[in-house]
Amino acid sequence: MCIAGALQAQEAPVQLDTVVVTGTNIRGATPAGNEVMVIGAEQIQASGKATVADFLRELPANFAGGVGMSDNIQGSDSSVAGSNMTGGQGVNLRGLGALSTLVLVNGRRVAAAGQYGDFVDISTIPSNAVDHIEILLDGASAVYGSDAVGGVVNIILKRSDDGARTTVRLGNATEGGNSQLQIGQTWGRQWNGGGMIVGYEYDRQDALAATDLGIYRSGSDFSDRGGVNWRRAGARAGAAANQFNTPTANGWGTPARRVSGSGLVAVTDGVGNTHDAWDKVDILPEMERHSAFVGFEQEVGSADLYGDLRYTRRRGTYNQGYQALYGTLGPDNPYLIPGVANNYGVLIDDRPLQREVGVDSIAATLGAGFDLGGSWRGEATLSYSRDEQFRNSDVQRNANIYDYLPTPAGGRVQAPTAIQCSQGLPGNATPAQLAYCAGLNYTAFNPWTTDPLSEQVLSQLIGYENLDFTSWLAQASFKVDGDLFAMPGGTAKLAAGIDYRRENIGGELDFNWRSTSDRHEVFGTTERDVGAVFAELAFPLIGKDNASRFAQKLDLSLAGRYERSRGMGDFSTFNPKVGLDFKPTDDLTLRASWGTSFHAPPMRYAYDGVQPITGGNGAFLRADLYRAPCDTTVVPLNGVSNTAAGCTFNAIVVSGGAGPTLKPEEARTWTVGFDWKPEWAPGLHAGASYFNLKVDDRIVRIQAGQLGGILNDLFTKGTTPYIDSLEINPGVDRVRQIMENDPRYLGQLGAGPVMGPADVAMIVNATQLNLASLRMDGFDFNLDYGFDTRYGGSLEFFNRGTLLKSYEIEATPGAGYVDRLGRYSAADGSSPVKLRSMHGVKWYYGNLNASLTMNYVDDYQCVAGCFLPNAQGLPVAATAPVKIKAWKTFDFHLGYDLSGIGGLFHDSRLSFTAINLTNSAPPFFDTGTTAAVDTLPDPYDPANATVLGRSLVLSFDKRW
């Protein structure tokens, strides 16, 4: 189906010469039981969106939750600050997660992106290389194997063109600038029996700072819209330091005095200096991309040769805000203030922390189709793709996981961190610790000064973490297809073949923030070999030769695929699928399908080796981070950092891969639907599909951003779905085994006195598990009607959406299913909302066309992890669900064909697009700070909205 109306198409639907191939291996066939959406390149261009990824984000069936988008900069694993690494963008059909959507380019798999290799980064694909996109909203492992659970997105690139084409796109956000420039050039030639195309695309965008957007108009103070003043609640550091009275190691106690310059000024409000956590934080990075591509197709006798090659280089820079530092000066620090506590909180505002990201992506395909006699034809295809990613980050030097010193009792203790040596060691420091710091020849840190810090001191406080990951995928396929035998309704057809692929991903790390010296670590490379055999049968049971009055056509398809994997996690699986198309009349098509699908666990999920990186495999102890109610009896508290948000306790987190025990997730899907195109109303097209799916053995783990909500459930409700992953008050021997024998143990991170095995109150096993089940059902619908007007020109009304009836998760076997439809929880993030849809009208009149599109996201609820202010404006966890309002945005497009002017303007178009015309801000709700990850309070949900605001785009397109 061509979705010219629904996805912001501003031009007449384009009739594509390319045969729809997604969902079937049989030439010239469409997948019985399913409809394939086809999005033309003109629709993408007319949308005003810079990339394919930005365009697909608006597709109602694509849910952003679980997919790192470029404007999601928070610290959860799906963000650019987590395993996403480079700000890549993926596809998440049905809200099942990017792992459950198979993304193909020209029908071929491509290398996975991110630290875990758990999504395909489609933002590396140049938009001017795209011919069209085909989307199948159904399970398709019977055809493609792993990952085709929620659906398949097949991006078809151009392999030939006739002439040259120049495109220029200028964009600008009306809040904060974020100017964008995209220039594309292609040149192609077509000849008898073949053709080729070469192209280049340049894309650049400026950074967009959070404080330039209206939703952050008050920074991290949300009191002007009914939220919490998070500055007062916890951001107790400023350019002029706070001097704290309570003797806590990280200085989150009550400030007794505020230090400015060299004098002590009494604090009268009990808070002291604060800072805006969003200051100098970029929502969008400064990003630059270069892409080049070439494609060809050529007949050689009875064979068809084809191929393509593309390369993308993308680089970006994020500001990550200023570092807030809390600590205690030691007695040997020359800036110690005599007679008072020297606990401090100060903002290191000499320069913001930065993160540089980049990816080099290359992909190539070479194939040939050839006659085998009669109707039979063979096809052999080879493909290779590779993503080389890096992320270079500034990080506070608050750990030392490599150096140990002897204790007077004959044991050993971790050596001090760079920050501890800079501020001075406490009075009970051992001679070995003092000698260790003295040997570093550090310059003493003075937190009380407002003068700029020297580069030497800054380098002692702020270190680096440079992560490089390379993933590649090689695939070889061979298939045959042709006619089997005649049937009353037509000719039965068969397609069969074999497929082999090898996947590889590995990385390395250079850092000094967890050490006082430069370190280099190599992550173990993981590799998987997957072989498959597949077959597909198409039976035309009723056709034109045996049709009756109410049975015009009946097609049956049967498909099956056996897939076996060896390497990092062995598995084998067989997946069947049955599809049926029935046309009782020429106007109406009824369809149904049933099948099973699966996705294999990403190789990095199974890898359980050492990965000394944020979000990687590791084990560490924190005394200052995890909180419980201050009156709890569940765990003993340590008094290290007590705030209005709770009191701290000692916890070890064991994170990362689960080893080779993970199994594939398995799904069962069935659909029924109809398409109606009445002959008496040529411009009318109505359709709907009901889908029902269940996924077992879903892979889950406690992600960094979830732990705060999980602990909140534990302490307020007495339990949590992840209770089996929590070891509460473990024995000393169990803790000692981790500390002394687990090679992943990184030691104690963060602030606070050194804790031993007897002090640990909880072990959190944040590893991958086949633990959960999911079931959901709903409808996809579309209604389009176009007609000529009596005054000339034509109008087209369009509607498209996805309406979910249920989305239920069973967190652990036997726990019972819990309704998660339209519910946000800090422990689990956002689940899909009930309705996402697009509605609009297009108008064509001569060389002029215009359209107005409304994008709708239904209202939903925050059920856990949202905050309300008390009488003092301090955070209190909401005890009842908080409503999150529906969100409507409008996109306007105006295009004009300049060909009538002649000359240089022949075959050229000028277009203007306003994205989010009314500058509608995302619905506000106070999700607070995720203390386990960051101190950035969130005023909206990036899984169901974007904060970017109004963007104005001017485009020029010229054919030569």
Side-chain angles (χ1 to χ4, degrees), residues 110-117 384-389 469-475 500-507 523-530 566 568 602-604:
V110 292
Q115 178 186 334
Y116 293 127
Y384 177 84
S385 63
R386 183 183 187 93
D387 275 9
E388 295 183 352
Q389 312 161 86
F469 256 86
T470 297
S471 61
W472 58 264
L473 185 148
Q475 184 179 9
Y500 167 81
R501 71 178 183 273
R502 173 169 288 181
E503 305 171 58
N504 181 293
I505 184 169
F523 298 154
T525 297
T526 52
E527 192 166 79
R528 173 183 290 159
D529 293 290
V530 182
R566 293 295 179 266
M568 183 56 69
M603 293 180 294
R604 302 310 292 185

Side-chain angles (χ1 to χ4, degrees), residues 640-681:
V640 168
S641 173
N642 300 337
T643 71
C647 296
T648 52
F649 62 93
N650 302 318
I652 286 179
V653 174
V654 181
S655 66
T661 59
L662 289 179
K663 301 181 294 184
E665 295 186 2
E666 298 181 348
R668 296 178 297 279
T669 308
W670 61 274
T671 68
V672 293
F674 76 90
D675 291 287
W676 184 48
K677 299 178 182 179
E679 185 178 353
W680 53 266

Side-chain angles (χ1 to χ4, degrees), residues 387-742:
D387 275 9
E388 295 183 352
Q389 312 161 86
F390 73 83
R391 183 182 68 206
N392 300 338
S393 306
D394 293 332
V395 188
Q396 186 182 108
R397 301 187 70 179
N398 61 358
N400 189 347
I401 66 174
Y402 288 95
D403 298 329
Y404 290 84
L405 300 173
T407 65
R412 67 172 191 164
V413 67
Q414 282 183 283
T417 69
I419 290 178
Q420 289 170 338
C421 289
S422 298
Q423 69 185 10
L425 298 179
N428 61 353
T430 66
Q433 290 172 321
L434 293 170
Y436 178 87
C437 287
L440 296 174
N441 197 29
Y442 278 178
T443 300
F445 168 50
N446 179 8
W448 314 127
T449 183
T450 55
D451 295 333
L453 299 177
S454 69
E455 286 299 317
Q456 173 64 30
V457 171
L458 286 174
S459 70
Q460 296 165 193
L461 305 178
I462 307 298
Y464 66 88
E465 177 185 81
N466 297 341
L467 176 65
D468 294 271
F469 256 86
T470 297
S471 61
W472 58 264
L473 185 148
Q475 184 179 9
S477 304
F478 175 76
K479 75 167 186 174
V480 297
D481 76 309
D483 298 342
L484 283 179
F485 49 81
M487 298 181 63
T491 302
K493 297 178 181 295
L494 167 69
I498 58 175
D499 183 66
Y500 167 81
R501 71 178 183 273
R502 173 169 288 181
E503 305 171 58
N504 181 293
I505 184 169
E508 55 187 41
L509 174 70
D510 292 288
F511 66 102
N512 73 352
W513 73 277
R514 288 180 171 174
S515 168
T516 54
S517 59
D518 296 339
R519 309 292 303 195
H520 177 79
E521 294 287 340
V522 176
F523 298 154
T525 297
T526 52
E527 192 166 79
R528 173 183 290 159
D529 293 290
V530 182
V533 294
F534 57 87
E536 185 177 348
L537 290 162
F539 297 113
L541 304 178
I542 299 176
K544 63 179 181 179
D545 293 336
N546 65 338
S548 61
R549 181 177 180 183
F550 295 110
Q552 298 295 310
K553 187 177 181 181
L554 178 61
D555 291 334
L556 171 69
S557 72
L558 303 173
R561 181 181 176 110
Y562 173 80
E563 191 157 297
R564 175 176 173 174
S565 170
R566 293 295 179 266
M568 183 56 69
D570 296 348
F571 68 86
S572 60
T573 181
F574 175 75
N575 290 274
K577 185 172 183 179
V578 180
L580 197 68
D581 277 355
F582 176 56
K583 291 179 70 70
T585 68
D586 289 335
D587 297 344
L588 180 65
T589 300
L590 306 177
R591 44 189 166 77
S593 69
W594 174 91
T596 67
S597 298
F598 78 101
H599 87 67
M603 293 180 294
R604 302 310 292 185
Y605 282 21
Y607 177 69
D608 58 1
V610 178
Q611 289 183 323
I613 178 176
T614 303
N617 297 350
F620 57 87
L621 187 150
R622 290 296 295 257
D624 60 331
L625 198 56
Y626 307 115
R627 300 181 183 278
C630 293
D631 59 353
T632 188
T633 59
V634 176
V635 294
L637 306 173
N638 61 26
V640 168
S641 173
N642 300 337
T643 71
C647 296
T648 52
F649 62 93
N650 302 318
I652 286 179
V653 174
V654 181
S655 66
T661 59
L662 289 179
K663 301 181 294 184
E665 295 186 2
E666 298 181 348
R668 296 178 297 279
T669 308
W670 61 274
T671 68
V672 293
F674 76 90
D675 291 287
W676 184 48
K677 299 178 182 179
E679 185 178 353
W680 53 266
L684 178 62
H685 178 201
S689 294
Y690 171 80
F691 60 90
N692 184 296
L693 66 89
K694 184 175 185 291
V695 185
D696 292 319
D697 292 325
R698 274 178 65 85
I699 300 170
V700 297
R701 81 176 178 97
I702 299 175
Q703 295 189 5
Q706 295 176 303
L707 187 52
I710 291 171
L711 294 177
N712 182 68
D713 284 347
L714 174 67
F715 294 122
T716 58
K717 302 176 183 178
T719 189
T720 164
Y722 299 92
I723 189 68
D724 292 339
S725 295
L726 306 180
E727 299 179 49
I728 302 171
N729 297 313
V732 173
D733 290 341
R734 166 65 176 143
V735 178
R736 184 177 290 114
Q737 188 273 332
I738 294 176
M739 288 185 168
E740 297 181 1
N741 299 321
D742 193 325

